[in-house]
Amino acid sequence: MATIEFVDVTKEYPNAKTPAVDNVSFTVHEGAICMLLGTSGSGKTTLLRMVNRLIDPTSGEIRIDGVPTTQQDPIALRRSIGYVIQQVGLFPHLSIEDNVRVVPSILGKSAAETRDRVDELLHLVGLEPAEYRKRYPRQLSGGQQQRVGLARALAADPAVLLMDEPFGALDAITRARLQDELLNVQRGVRKTILFVTHDVEEAFKLGDQIVVMSEGKLVQEGSPIELLAQPASDFVRQLVGADNILRQFEYQPVTAALEPATDAAQERIAADERLLPALLRLIQMRNGALAVVRDGETLGQVSLASVFASVQSIHRNASAASGEHNRSADSAPVIR
Amino acid sequence: MHFLKHRAARELAASLIRVVKEIEWTMIAKMLQFIGDPTNTFWQHTIDTLKLSIVPIILALLIGLSLGVLVARRPVAAFISANLTGLMRAVPTLAVLFIMILYFNQIGFLPSVVALTVLGIPPILLNTIAGLRGVDPSAIEAGQGMGMTQQQVLFRVQIPLVLPVIAAGVRTASVQIIATVPIAGLIGGGGYGDYILAGINLLNIPQLLVGAVGIALLALLAEFALAALQRAVTPAGLRATEPAAIAPSARRSPVGSLADV
């Protein structure tokens, strides 16, 4: 595991009016999935490619576990970092097995030594080794190819994984499956993952931390809930859909709607649950309340009234923060 | 075959076959006799033919390959070089041959080699450009991103992917060059062309055939050998005919639908 620190990172290209990446600083903690979210041209991919020094920053530095990347040999650095790209980039002339063992192989390991590791990795990404080991990339679907891409990136057991819109070229169903799969894999391997996306849903689904980029600048950085609750600007509010009441229910914890416990609370709900499942249970119960418990201790309760009140207050805060705000076309109607 | 039931027709057919065989065998015997006659210096002509084939093939390979590598990533340069060599190729080799005589102010081996080389460059150049452009840039980016050195990207990714395409170009160029070698006989370049020209002038059919059949056999031999080479340098993952490894794909994955994305 590793911590990645970005310190005043700037990348300027000659002949460009504005920097591609402009004075960006933030920290990704060990074992976290950090989503770099932004539109195309926001500098998110440039930022990612500076981590493994495919691009070198003009100024500032990136530290992995405190060591600036510029102090390391770029080749050795890249071999210690997993890299997954949208176009997958499997080698068409090599079997799946040989594709997965590319990094161990350039590190000088033989096929015999890495055989078990390849099997383990193919299992991990949901491909049966006996069936897929000897096949070739063109015999696989796009989704299967990206699974191999993920296995290949994990082959040398890197502490850091860089993913550049890895699921961007896949259809919606395959993308959702691979997102689930990635979360599954991550539970086992606990890598520090930097993940570039322009898809807000993907950012919220996968991210422990979201870094919103726009025109090379870091606009806001925080957990999905922080972004929803306190968007730093109208841009972020529109991007993350802070006005979207469903997303609020999906990501706000039940503790956001806590009220003092009463006799109405016949059933219990864990404190780390989200508002949406609580709301669904409250609707099923028709009335009443859920006791919110953490480690067997009752913190309070949530009821339909308290849930609505909390969402309204979040929304009021958001409106107050931006003065008069225009409801964006795609936002859900607000309950008043 | 009803008419063969008639005795006369059967006899006629039989005698026809006899005559053809007779001519054939006499012809082959005469050709062998010609080859065996030391005054005809068949061995020397064979060596000259091989020289006139191999030297232009190697030169065309060197020029076509290095030019191709140079221009592949430069669209304008690629366009110019491909069309320029194509234009040179469009001029009949016979004309090139005489231009080369004027240029070098001599006849024989050198102008012949140059004229034949001009013929062989375009297929190799075009295939080198097409091959290099055909390499998926994302494969190269992935290679670099995983920490391959420039050399490793070249030897592990680019060359294996480009080699089969270049081999196809060499095959085309070689067969064209070999088939055109007899033209060197016109300007004293030697080789089987001498037999063909002399055979025509003297109406010596066996001599003509030794030259013509010799060249044809050489071209066929090159075609088969280079086709085999092309197959050998084509990695299994790129072959049109599926290797045995595809067989398990018919089965469904035992892990279930997860892998069937």
Coordinates of all heavy atoms in Angstrom, one line a residue, chain A residues 265-319:
Chain A
A265 N -39.8 3.6 17.2 CA -38.8 2.8 16.6 C -38.8 1.4 17.0 O -38.3 1.0 18.0 CB -37.4 3.4 16.9
Q266 N -39.5 0.6 16.1 CA -39.6 -0.9 16.5 C -38.5 -1.6 15.8 O -38.1 -2.7 16.3 CB -41.0 -1.5 15.9 CG -42.2 -0.8 16.4 CD -42.8 0.1 15.3 OE1 -42.2 0.4 14.3 NE2 -44.1 0.4 15.4
E267 N -38.0 -1.2 14.7 CA -36.9 -1.9 14.1 C -35.6 -1.1 14.1 O -35.6 0.1 14.4 CB -37.3 -2.2 12.6 CG -38.4 -3.2 12.5 CD -38.7 -3.6 11.1 OE1 -37.8 -3.6 10.2 OE2 -39.9 -3.8 10.8
R268 N -34.5 -1.8 13.8 CA -33.2 -1.2 13.9 C -32.5 -1.1 12.5 O -32.7 -1.9 11.6 CB -32.3 -2.0 14.8 CG -32.7 -2.0 16.3 CD -32.5 -3.3 17.0 NE -31.2 -3.8 17.0 CZ -30.3 -3.7 18.0 NH1 -30.8 -3.2 19.2 NH2 -29.1 -4.2 18.0
I269 N -31.6 -0.1 12.4 CA -30.8 0.0 11.2 C -29.4 0.4 11.6 O -29.2 1.2 12.6 CB -31.4 1.0 10.2 CG1 -30.7 0.9 8.9 CG2 -31.4 2.4 10.8 CD1 -31.4 1.5 7.7
A270 N -28.4 -0.1 10.9 CA -27.0 0.2 11.3 C -26.7 1.6 10.9 O -27.2 2.2 9.9 CB -26.0 -0.8 10.6
A271 N -25.8 2.3 11.7 CA -25.5 3.7 11.5 C -24.8 4.0 10.2 O -24.8 5.1 9.7 CB -24.7 4.2 12.7
D272 N -24.1 2.9 9.6 CA -23.4 3.2 8.4 C -24.2 3.0 7.1 O -23.7 3.1 6.0 CB -22.0 2.4 8.3 CG -22.3 0.9 8.5 OD1 -23.5 0.6 8.6 OD2 -21.3 0.2 8.5
E273 N -25.5 2.7 7.3 CA -26.4 2.5 6.2 C -26.6 3.9 5.6 O -26.5 4.9 6.2 CB -27.7 1.9 6.6 CG -27.7 0.4 6.8 CD -27.7 -0.4 5.4 OE1 -27.7 0.3 4.4 OE2 -27.8 -1.6 5.5
R274 N -27.1 3.8 4.3 CA -27.5 5.1 3.6 C -29.0 5.4 3.8 O -29.7 4.5 4.2 CB -27.2 4.9 2.1 CG -25.8 4.5 1.8 CD -24.8 5.7 2.0 NE -23.4 5.2 2.1 CZ -22.4 5.9 2.6 NH1 -22.7 7.0 3.2 NH2 -21.2 5.4 2.7
L275 N -29.3 6.6 3.4 CA -30.7 7.0 3.6 C -31.7 6.2 2.7 O -32.8 5.9 3.1 CB -30.9 8.5 3.3 CG -30.5 9.5 4.4 CD1 -30.7 10.9 3.9 CD2 -31.4 9.3 5.6
L276 N -31.2 5.8 1.5 CA -32.2 5.2 0.6 C -32.8 3.9 1.1 O -34.0 3.8 1.2 CB -31.5 5.0 -0.8 CG -32.4 4.5 -1.9 CD1 -33.5 5.5 -2.2 CD2 -31.7 4.2 -3.2
P277 N -31.9 2.9 1.6 CA -32.5 1.7 2.2 C -33.4 2.0 3.4 O -34.4 1.4 3.6 CB -31.3 0.9 2.5 CG -30.1 1.7 2.4 CD -30.4 2.9 1.5
A278 N -33.0 3.0 4.2 CA -33.8 3.4 5.3 C -35.2 3.9 4.9 O -36.2 3.5 5.4 CB -33.1 4.5 6.1
L279 N -35.1 4.7 3.8 CA -36.4 5.3 3.3 C -37.3 4.2 2.8 O -38.5 4.2 3.1 CB -36.0 6.3 2.2 CG -37.2 7.0 1.6 CD1 -37.8 8.0 2.6 CD2 -36.7 7.8 0.4
L280 N -36.7 3.2 2.1 CA -37.5 2.1 1.5 C -38.1 1.3 2.6 O -39.3 0.9 2.5 CB -36.6 1.2 0.6 CG -36.1 1.9 -0.7 CD1 -35.2 1.0 -1.4 CD2 -37.3 2.4 -1.5
R281 N -37.4 1.1 3.7 CA -37.9 0.3 4.8 C -39.0 1.1 5.5 O -40.1 0.5 5.9 CB -36.8 -0.1 5.8 CG -36.0 -1.3 5.3 CD -34.9 -1.6 6.2 NE -35.3 -2.1 7.5 CZ -34.5 -2.3 8.5 NH1 -33.2 -2.1 8.3 NH2 -34.9 -2.7 9.7
L282 N -38.8 2.4 5.6 CA -39.8 3.2 6.3 C -41.1 3.3 5.5 O -42.2 3.2 6.0 CB -39.3 4.7 6.5 CG -38.2 4.9 7.6 CD1 -37.6 6.2 7.4 CD2 -38.9 4.7 8.9
I283 N -41.0 3.3 4.1 CA -42.2 3.3 3.3 C -42.9 1.9 3.4 O -44.1 1.9 3.6 CB -41.8 3.5 1.8 CG1 -41.3 5.0 1.7 CG2 -42.9 3.3 0.9 CD1 -40.7 5.3 0.3
Q284 N -42.1 0.8 3.5 CA -42.7 -0.5 3.7 C -43.5 -0.6 5.0 O -44.5 -1.2 5.1 CB -41.6 -1.6 3.6 CG -41.4 -2.1 2.2 CD -40.3 -3.2 2.2 OE1 -39.5 -3.3 3.2 NE2 -40.3 -4.0 1.2
M285 N -42.9 0.0 6.0 CA -43.5 0.0 7.4 C -44.7 0.9 7.4 O -45.4 0.9 8.4 CB -42.4 0.4 8.4 CG -41.3 -0.6 8.6 SD -39.9 0.2 9.4 CE -40.6 0.7 10.9
R286 N -44.9 1.7 6.4 CA -45.9 2.7 6.3 C -45.8 3.8 7.3 O -46.0 5.0 7.0 CB -47.3 2.1 6.5 CG -47.8 1.3 5.3 CD -48.9 0.3 5.6 NE -49.0 -0.6 4.5 CZ -49.6 -0.3 3.4 NH1 -50.2 0.9 3.2 NH2 -49.6 -1.2 2.4
N287 N -45.4 3.5 8.5 CA -45.2 4.6 9.4 C -44.1 4.1 10.4 O -43.5 3.1 10.2 CB -46.5 4.9 10.1 CG -46.5 6.4 10.5 OD1 -45.5 7.0 10.6 ND2 -47.7 7.0 10.7
G288 N -44.0 4.8 11.5 CA -43.0 4.4 12.5 C -41.6 4.9 12.2 O -41.5 5.9 11.5
A289 N -40.6 4.3 12.8 CA -39.3 4.8 12.8 C -38.3 3.6 12.9 O -38.7 2.5 13.3 CB -39.0 5.8 13.9
L290 N -37.1 3.9 12.5 CA -36.0 2.9 12.6 C -35.0 3.4 13.7 O -34.5 4.6 13.6 CB -35.3 2.8 11.3 CG -36.1 2.1 10.2 CD1 -35.4 2.3 8.8 CD2 -36.2 0.6 10.5
A291 N -34.7 2.6 14.6 CA -33.6 2.9 15.6 C -32.3 2.8 14.9 O -32.0 1.8 14.3 CB -33.7 2.0 16.8
V292 N -31.5 3.9 15.0 CA -30.2 3.9 14.4 C -29.2 3.4 15.5 O -29.0 4.0 16.5 CB -29.8 5.3 13.9 CG1 -28.4 5.3 13.4 CG2 -30.8 5.7 12.9
V293 N -28.5 2.3 15.2 CA -27.6 1.7 16.2 C -26.2 1.6 15.6 O -26.0 1.4 14.4 CB -28.0 0.3 16.6 CG1 -29.3 0.4 17.5 CG2 -28.3 -0.6 15.4
R294 N -25.2 1.9 16.5 CA -23.8 1.6 16.2 C -23.2 0.8 17.4 O -23.3 1.3 18.5 CB -23.1 3.0 16.0 CG -21.6 2.7 15.7 CD -20.9 4.1 15.5 NE -21.2 4.7 14.2 CZ -21.3 6.0 14.0 NH1 -21.1 6.8 15.1 NH2 -21.6 6.5 12.9
D295 N -22.6 -0.3 17.0 CA -22.0 -1.2 18.0 C -23.0 -1.5 19.2 O -22.6 -1.4 20.4 CB -20.7 -0.5 18.6 CG -19.7 -0.2 17.5 OD1 -19.7 -1.0 16.5 OD2 -19.0 0.7 17.7
G296 N -24.3 -1.7 18.8 CA -25.3 -2.1 19.8 C -25.8 -0.9 20.6 O -26.8 -1.0 21.4
E297 N -25.3 0.3 20.4 CA -25.7 1.5 21.1 C -26.7 2.3 20.2 O -26.4 2.5 19.0 CB -24.5 2.3 21.4 CG -24.9 3.5 22.3 CD -23.7 4.5 22.4 OE1 -22.6 4.1 22.1 OE2 -23.9 5.7 22.8
T298 N -27.9 2.6 20.8 CA -28.8 3.4 20.0 C -28.5 4.9 20.0 O -28.3 5.5 21.0 CB -30.2 3.2 20.6 OG1 -30.5 1.8 20.6 CG2 -31.3 3.9 19.7
L299 N -28.3 5.4 18.7 CA -27.9 6.8 18.6 C -29.1 7.7 18.5 O -29.0 8.9 18.8 CB -27.0 7.0 17.3 CG -25.8 6.1 17.2 CD1 -25.1 6.4 15.9 CD2 -24.8 6.4 18.3
G300 N -30.2 7.1 18.0 CA -31.4 7.9 17.8 C -32.3 7.2 16.9 O -32.2 5.9 16.8
Q301 N -33.1 7.9 16.1 CA -34.0 7.2 15.2 C -34.1 8.0 13.9 O -33.8 9.2 13.9 CB -35.3 6.9 15.8 CG -36.1 8.2 16.0 CD -37.6 7.9 16.4 OE1 -37.9 6.9 17.0 NE2 -38.5 8.8 16.0
V302 N -34.6 7.3 12.9 CA -35.0 8.1 11.7 C -36.4 7.7 11.4 O -36.9 6.6 11.5 CB -34.1 7.7 10.4 CG1 -32.7 8.3 10.6 CG2 -34.0 6.2 10.2
S303 N -37.1 8.7 10.9 CA -38.5 8.5 10.5 C -38.7 9.2 9.1 O -37.8 9.9 8.7 CB -39.5 9.2 11.5 OG -39.2 10.6 11.5
L304 N -39.8 9.0 8.5 CA -40.1 9.7 7.2 C -39.9 11.2 7.3 O -39.3 11.8 6.5 CB -41.5 9.3 6.7 CG -41.6 7.9 6.1 CD1 -43.1 7.7 5.7 CD2 -40.7 7.8 4.8
A305 N -40.5 11.7 8.4 CA -40.4 13.1 8.6 C -39.0 13.6 8.8 O -38.6 14.6 8.1 CB -41.2 13.5 9.9
S306 N -38.1 12.9 9.5 CA -36.8 13.3 9.7 C -35.9 13.2 8.5 O -35.1 14.1 8.2 CB -36.1 12.6 10.9 OG -35.7 11.3 10.5
V307 N -36.2 12.2 7.7 CA -35.5 12.0 6.4 C -35.8 13.2 5.5 O -34.9 13.8 4.9 CB -35.9 10.7 5.7 CG1 -35.3 10.7 4.3 CG2 -35.3 9.5 6.5
F308 N -37.1 13.5 5.3 CA -37.5 14.7 4.5 C -36.9 16.0 5.0 O -36.3 16.8 4.2 CB -39.0 14.8 4.4 CG -39.6 13.7 3.6 CD1 -40.9 13.2 3.9 CD2 -39.0 13.1 2.5 CE1 -41.4 12.2 3.2 CE2 -39.5 12.1 1.8 CZ -40.8 11.6 2.1
A309 N -36.9 16.1 6.3 CA -36.4 17.4 6.9 C -34.9 17.5 6.6 O -34.4 18.6 6.2 CB -36.6 17.4 8.4
S310 N -34.2 16.4 6.7 CA -32.7 16.4 6.5 C -32.4 16.8 5.0 O -31.5 17.6 4.8 CB -32.1 15.1 6.8 OG -32.3 14.2 5.8
V311 N -33.1 16.2 4.1 CA -32.9 16.4 2.7 C -33.2 17.9 2.4 O -32.5 18.6 1.6 CB -33.7 15.5 1.8 CG1 -33.6 15.9 0.3 CG2 -33.1 14.1 1.9
Q312 N -34.3 18.4 2.9 CA -34.7 19.8 2.7 C -33.6 20.7 3.3 O -33.2 21.7 2.6 CB -36.0 20.1 3.4 CG -37.2 19.7 2.5 CD -38.5 20.2 3.0 OE1 -38.6 20.4 4.2 NE2 -39.5 20.2 2.2
S313 N -33.1 20.4 4.4 CA -32.1 21.3 5.0 C -30.8 21.3 4.2 O -30.2 22.3 4.0 CB -31.8 20.9 6.5 OG -30.9 19.8 6.5
I314 N -30.4 20.1 3.7 CA -29.2 20.0 2.9 C -29.4 20.9 1.6 O -28.6 21.7 1.2 CB -29.0 18.6 2.4 CG1 -28.5 17.7 3.6 CG2 -27.9 18.5 1.3 CD1 -28.5 16.2 3.3
H315 N -30.6 20.8 1.1 CA -30.9 21.5 -0.1 C -31.0 23.0 0.1 O -30.5 23.8 -0.7 CB -32.3 21.1 -0.7 CG -32.4 21.5 -2.1 ND1 -31.8 20.8 -3.1 CD2 -33.1 22.5 -2.7 CE1 -32.1 21.4 -4.3 NE2 -32.9 22.4 -4.0
R316 N -31.5 23.4 1.3 CA -31.6 24.8 1.6 C -30.2 25.4 1.8 O -29.8 26.4 1.2 CB -32.4 25.1 2.9 CG -33.7 25.8 2.7 CD -34.2 26.3 4.0 NE -34.1 25.4 5.1 CZ -34.9 24.4 5.4 NH1 -36.0 24.2 4.6 NH2 -34.7 23.7 6.5
N317 N -29.3 24.6 2.5 CA -27.9 25.0 2.6 C -27.3 25.3 1.3 O -26.6 26.2 1.1 CB -27.1 24.0 3.4 CG -27.5 23.9 4.9 OD1 -28.2 24.9 5.3 ND2 -27.2 22.9 5.6
A318 N -27.5 24.3 0.4 CA -26.9 24.4 -0.9 C -27.4 25.6 -1.6 O -26.5 26.4 -2.2 CB -27.2 23.1 -1.7
S319 N -28.7 25.9 -1.5 CA -29.2 27.1 -2.2 C -28.6 28.4 -1.6 O -28.3 29.3 -2.3 CB -30.7 27.1 -2.1 OG -31.3 25.9 -2.5

